[in-house]
Amino acid sequence: MTYRFFTLSLLAFFALHATAQDSLKTLTFSGYIEAYYSYDFSEPANGDRPATFYNFNRHNEFNLNLGYLKAAYASSKVRGNLALMTGTYAQYNLAAEPTIIRNIYEANVGIKLSSRHNLWLDAGILPSHIGFESAVGKDCWALTRSLVAENSPYYEAGAKLTYTTPSEKLLVSAMALNGWQRIRRVEGNNTPAFGTQLVLKPSDRLTLNYSTFVGNDKPSTAKQWRHFHNLYGIFQCTPKTGLTVGFDLGFEQARPESDTWNTWYAPVVIVRQQLSDQWRLALRGEYYDDRHGVIVSTGTPNNFQTFGYSVNIDYLPTDNAVLRLEARGLSAGDAIFSDINGTATQGNFFVTASAAISF
């Protein structure tokens, strides 16, 4: 733990002593903390909520989902980010990574490749280019993450080429990656992985996104190519009403060298209503169909075919803080959950509360 505190102390020191001699160079220091309490009415004996969740997944205990400190440097030609984190999100979502990098939330450097165009090359550990939700809860409309987010990458490691038009209404990215949410490659994997992203913002009231991933998440001797498509739109229907609609579609070879493909898909809809300056309400409906168990394997005949719904209310005492309460239920085609007695059941219901602050 000593090296983490030492690194964080250095980040704080440099951020506080940064000068303004060059207005094009900035060093900023920020942070985020989100504490939570979640109660699962199935009362799991080991305290872990269903394995498909990586956020807010400890039952009946007060805990930290995510806390990080971040330093960001930016100039006209160079940029970089370093953020170190802790919390149950890091503990569970990065469990497959080497211990020394499990507490890295972000670590990347970028170089501007053109003096005339907004063209950047970034490399390192980066936020995922897939999805409209991140691990930072205050930026998401619902308290807990949707099934599409929990079962697609939150982060990635690789190199990304990004072009943004002068109007900032169109962003195009292409990337070479280590794999499907991988910092360290799967052992024995030497195959490339690639991603693309297209973001269109014709106005402040509309955002459209299309992201892709192509790669193999298994050893090269047993490779099964995966193709994944993520589409979503964020619509500000009125000054107080917003709508997010998303759809994920994936294909993976059923076996190495096979012409047969296993498919999974997941639609999600979230409606958010601004009740007042300090109160918000959000409703979510979702479905995840992975009947072949590509992403979520349950060992049951139909694997993971699950409907979900949630309702959450937010209170914002200040611009940088939010208190949230959410009730959420899941209903599956097979008995993939368990009840309070440990008996297999098709349903799961839980309530979560959180408090978050950014600085």
Side-chain angles (χ1 to χ4, degrees):
M1 294 294 291
T2 303
Y3 80 93
R4 295 177 195 158
F5 288 110
F6 177 72
T7 304
L8 294 175
S9 299
L10 285 179
L11 294 178
F13 176 84
F14 286 124
L16 293 172
H17 291 80
T19 66
Q21 295 177 354
D22 185 344
S23 61
L24 296 179
K25 296 180 180 180
T26 60
L27 179 62
T28 58
F29 182 70
S30 62
Y32 179 72
I33 301 173
E34 184 169 27
Y36 73 97
Y37 174 85
S38 188
Y39 189 88
D40 189 319
F41 285 83
S42 299
E43 297 188 4
N46 63 358
D48 284 345
R49 299 210 52 261
T52 188
F53 290 101
Y54 300 94
N55 287 275
F56 312 101
N57 60 339
R58 290 292 297 165
H59 158 69
N60 195 26
E61 67 182 34
F62 293 93
N63 217 315
L64 176 71
N65 188 62
L66 175 64
Y68 69 72
L69 290 175
K70 177 178 178 178
Y73 173 80
S75 71
S76 60
K77 295 182 178 180
V78 177
R79 62 190 181 191
N81 300 281
L82 176 61
L84 302 180
M85 67 175 170
T86 188
T88 55
Y89 161 81
Q91 176 186 356
Y92 287 86
N93 202 42
L94 282 82
E97 304 290 355
T99 304
I100 196 171
I101 57 177
R102 289 178 187 172
N103 295 94
I104 297 178
Y105 179 75
E106 188 176 356
N108 52 74
V109 60
I111 298 174
K112 192 174 185 182
L113 301 180
S114 172
S115 59
R116 298 178 56 191
H117 302 285
N118 195 6
L119 180 66
W120 287 82
L121 177 65
D122 297 277
I125 301 172
L126 301 153
S128 174
H129 69 289
I130 293 171
F132 56 85
E133 293 176 311
S134 72
V136 181
K138 74 175 185 62
D139 296 335
C140 301
W141 288 13
L143 191 164
T144 59
R145 300 299 87 83
S146 303
L147 293 172
V148 292
E150 292 283 48
N151 296 287
S152 60
Y154 280 107
Y155 65 88
E156 56 199 20
K160 177 172 70 171
L161 189 66
T162 304
Y163 170 73
T164 307
T165 59
S167 66
E168 298 186 346
K169 293 184 177 181
L170 177 64
L171 177 147
V172 182
S173 292
M175 53 217 74
L177 304 169
N178 287 349
W180 177 267
Q181 188 167 267
R182 300 284 184 182
I183 298 176
R184 182 179 67 179
R185 282 180 175 272
V186 173
E187 186 174 351
N189 184 319
N190 296 307
T191 53
F194 303 100
T196 64
Q197 183 176 25
L198 178 67
V199 183
L200 179 63
K201 295 183 178 181
S203 72
D204 294 337
R205 300 178 60 180
L206 175 61
T207 299
L208 299 173
N209 180 96
Y210 174 49
S211 300
T212 69
F213 171 89
V214 178
N216 163 48
D217 199 47
K218 297 175 174 59
S220 297
T221 54
K223 65 182 177 184
Q224 294 171 243
W225 285 106
R226 176 178 298 177
H227 298 261
F228 181 78
H229 306 267
N230 163 247
L231 302 96
Y232 67 81
I234 302 175
F235 309 87
Q236 194 62 42
C237 305
T238 72
K240 293 187 176 182
T241 305
L243 173 68
T244 295
V245 180
F247 185 77
D248 284 6
L249 176 64
F251 307 87
E252 184 175 88
Q253 286 178 301
R255 297 172 300 280
E257 308 296 334
S258 174
D259 293 329
T260 302
W261 296 78
N262 291 331
T263 305
W264 74 98
Y265 64 93
V268 57
V269 177
I270 305 176
V271 179
R272 185 171 73 173
Q273 180 70 30
Q274 192 78 35
L275 303 176
S276 69
D277 290 342
Q278 293 183 307
W279 291 93
R280 299 182 308 208
L281 177 71
L283 304 173
R284 171 174 52 197
E286 58 185 334
Y287 177 64
Y288 200 97
D289 191 308
D290 185 12
R291 64 189 62 196
H292 301 289
V294 177
I295 304 297
V296 185
S297 178
T298 64
T300 59
N302 297 296
N303 274 297
F304 195 70
Q305 298 182 57
T306 303
F307 287 96
Y309 64 90
S310 70
V311 55
N312 71 274
I313 189 164
D314 304 341
Y315 172 64
L316 293 81
T318 65
D319 291 341
N320 67 329
V322 59
L323 299 174
R324 317 184 83 173
L325 179 64
E326 179 186 274
R328 186 174 182 183
L330 301 173
S331 178
D334 291 343
I336 61 173
F337 305 111
S338 61
D339 63 17
I340 192 171
N341 300 312
T343 304
T345 180
Q346 292 176 277
N348 180 248
F349 186 81
F350 56 102
V351 176
T352 307
S354 73
I357 182 173
S358 60
F359 53 88

